[in-house]
């Protein structure tokens, strides 16, 4: 989807009938489409191809011959059995960038295991470090492992395109959920690998910085992040608790981490005395990073969210007007083209066969009659 935002022509290959599993991941639905599917499929054309049909697999081979990038998420080796593996397609197109996204990688003891975000989040340790301090492990509220893997794949594809520009050769990219999430463990992983320190759950708090967490207010919550000693003094000024700055045990972050329990109790009691909006006003101009814990309605009412263009409206062919989160990045020298709405299953089958592969109407009709491909009636 991000590549599509940047101007790539993206052809989404779906199985006839049900199509992408996420189309059924609801409620909520907008018309016949799940809101989940609509949120991650703009700027894509959909072709419905039966890969088990010999002529269906042949279509994918021909597309690989004229496309720059192929992205697939089958179990390792599955596409090779269909004649659609990297080694096979790179003979058709030596410049092809072939990006495989799997649960655990293309090789290794777990490579043949299916992978979903929640499983990889558990296996990678992400769930172990997420949740309330004295509670059970928690799945992050959105599919962070999936999202991280997609971002890694996007960066890898862009790097491969640059490499191909220099060498003229394509490449096979191995991107997987496990590696993406383990690499995102960041300092948590470093704490264990270098100091043997096992991780634990901290709720909204930070293991190594105090105060750096959410606090309950009179009517909600506020997150305060004092990343250095100067910011801690500023926090005390705003809270009118300057006596804390005179306490030897709070003079440095290391000491505040060691004495966090008593300090956080004092801060928590003070934050309860005012409303969130009042605290935000008091912190204005202090130089201390703070923010409210917003619900989703509050997120999309936020003036900065609106200013950043993060509310994107499109007209869908069957669902009507749909609204999704917009692109996160803007550029000074160009503006991406107007987005196209997420497709219905097989909306562009005939168009792609005719325009991209130069199939004649007779051949297209034969493919439709054989059920190797299907075309949705909306187009």
């Amino acid at each position: 989807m991000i590549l599509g935002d940047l101007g790539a022509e993206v052809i989404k290959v779906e199985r006839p009938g049900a199509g992408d599993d996420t189309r059924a991941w609801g409620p909520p639905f907008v018309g016949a489409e799940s809101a989940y599917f609509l949120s991650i499929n703009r700027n894509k054309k959909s072709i419905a191809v039966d890969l088990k049909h010999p002529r269906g697999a042949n279509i994918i081979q021909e597309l690989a011959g004229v496309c720059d990038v192929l992205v697939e998420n089958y179990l390792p080796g599955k596409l090779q059995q269909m004649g659609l593996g990297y080694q096979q397609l790179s003979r058709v197109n030596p410049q092809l960038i072939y990006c495989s996204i799997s649960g655990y990688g293309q090789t290794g003891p777990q490579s043949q295991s299916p992978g979903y975000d929640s499983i990889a989040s558990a296996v990678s340790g992400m769930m172990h470090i997420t949740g309330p301090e004295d509670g059970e492990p928690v799945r992050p509220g959105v599919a962070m492992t999936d999202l991280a893997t997609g971002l890694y794949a996007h960066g890898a594809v862009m790097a491969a395109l640059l490499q191909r520009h220099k060498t003229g050769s394509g490449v096979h990219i191995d991107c997987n959920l496990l590696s993406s999430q383990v690499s995102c463990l960041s300092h948590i992983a470093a704490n264990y690998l270098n100091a043997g320190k096992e991780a634990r759950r901290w709720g909204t708090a930070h293991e190594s910085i105090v105060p750096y967490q959410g606090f309950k207010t009179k009517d909600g919550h506020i997150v305060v992040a004092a990343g250095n000693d100067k910011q801690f003094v500023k926090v005390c000024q705003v809270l009118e608790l300057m006596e804390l700055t005179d306490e030897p045990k709070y003079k440095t972050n290391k000491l505040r981490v060691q004495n966090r329990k008593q300090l956080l109790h004092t801060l928590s009691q003070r934050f309860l005395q005012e409303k969130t909006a009042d605290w935000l006003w008091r912190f204005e101009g202090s130089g201390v990073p703070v923010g409210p814990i917003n619900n989703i309605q509050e997120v999309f009412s936020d003036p900065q969210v609106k200013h950043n263009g993060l509310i994107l409206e499109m007209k869908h062919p069957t669902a009507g007007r749909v609204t999704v989160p917009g692109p996160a990045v803007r550029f000074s020298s160009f503006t991406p083209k107007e987005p196209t709405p997420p497709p219905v299953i097989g909306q562009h089958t005939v168009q792609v066969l005719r325009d991209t592969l130069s199939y004649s109407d007779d051949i297209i009709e034969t493919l439709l009659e054989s059920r190797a491909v299907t075309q949705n009636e909306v187009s």
Side-chain angles (χ1 to χ4, degrees), residues 4-274:
D5 285 336
L6 296 177
E9 179 184 3
V10 180
I11 300 170
K12 181 182 181 74
V13 180
E14 302 188 70
R15 66 184 184 277
D20 185 335
D21 284 346
T22 65
R23 289 183 182 273
W25 286 7
F29 291 94
V30 185
E33 302 287 7
S34 72
Y36 195 113
F37 175 84
L38 294 173
S39 73
I40 53 175
N41 280 285
R42 66 176 176 268
N43 296 322
K44 299 177 184 179
K45 296 176 180 178
S46 171
I47 63 172
V49 181
D50 182 358
L51 296 187
K52 295 180 181 178
H53 193 292
R55 302 193 69 173
N58 186 63
I59 289 170
I60 305 305
Q61 290 177 344
E62 292 190 37
L63 281 172
V66 297
C67 289
D68 296 293
V69 180
L70 183 148
V71 180
E72 60 90 8
N73 66 339
Y74 281 76
L75 279 175
K78 187 68 174 177
L79 285 182
Q80 185 174 353
Q81 295 172 10
M82 302 180 191
L84 301 174
Y86 171 68
Q87 296 298 332
Q88 295 147 321
L89 294 185
S90 63
R91 288 196 289 269
V92 176
N93 180 3
Q95 292 189 318
L96 181 66
I97 293 163
Y98 189 112
C99 180
S100 295
I101 300 177
S102 62
Y104 299 94
Q106 294 299 295
T107 59
Q110 286 185 270
S111 62
Q112 293 301 305
S113 299
Y116 269 12
D117 170 271
S118 59
I119 307 304
S121 181
V123 174
S124 69
M126 181 66 168
M127 282 193 193
H128 174 72
I129 62 174
T130 304
E133 189 170 348
D134 298 318
E136 295 294 316
V138 171
R139 183 182 73 85
V142 293
M144 288 308 303
T145 304
D146 278 351
L147 293 170
T149 306
L151 289 169
Y152 272 118
H154 159 252
V157 166
M158 297 296 278
L161 286 167
L162 182 60
Q163 175 74 0
R164 189 184 71 176
H165 181 70
K166 296 178 178 179
T167 67
S169 299
V171 69
H172 186 199
I173 298 168
D174 177 359
C175 198
N176 64 84
L177 301 179
L178 178 66
S179 295
S180 296
Q181 189 57 73
V182 170
S183 71
C184 286
L185 291 178
S186 185
H187 69 281
I188 298 295
N191 288 350
Y192 172 76
L193 293 172
N194 294 283
K197 187 172 184 180
E198 181 55 79
R200 50 172 288 195
R201 290 178 287 283
W202 287 96
T204 65
H206 195 293
E207 178 181 18
S208 304
I209 312 171
V210 175
Y212 197 104
Q213 67 180 74
F215 293 94
K216 192 171 183 179
T217 66
K218 186 179 283 189
D219 65 343
H221 295 84
I222 187 172
V223 175
V224 178
N228 57 53
D229 297 336
K230 183 178 179 181
Q231 289 177 342
F232 173 67
V233 172
K234 289 288 187 180
V235 170
C236 295
Q237 289 177 345
V238 172
L239 270 59
E240 298 177 349
L241 293 173
M242 285 302 292
E243 65 272 16
L244 296 178
T245 64
D246 295 327
E247 289 274 3
K249 60 185 176 183
Y250 302 146
K251 284 292 184 182
T252 67
N253 179 69
K254 181 179 179 180
L255 291 169
R256 291 192 295 275
V257 169
Q258 293 171 351
N259 298 283
R260 71 164 64 225
K261 188 173 182 179
Q262 184 177 347
L263 174 58
L264 292 177
H265 175 75
T266 301
L267 298 179
S268 296
Q269 293 302 306
R270 180 69 179 102
F271 276 112
L272 284 170
Q273 296 172 11
E274 305 285 350

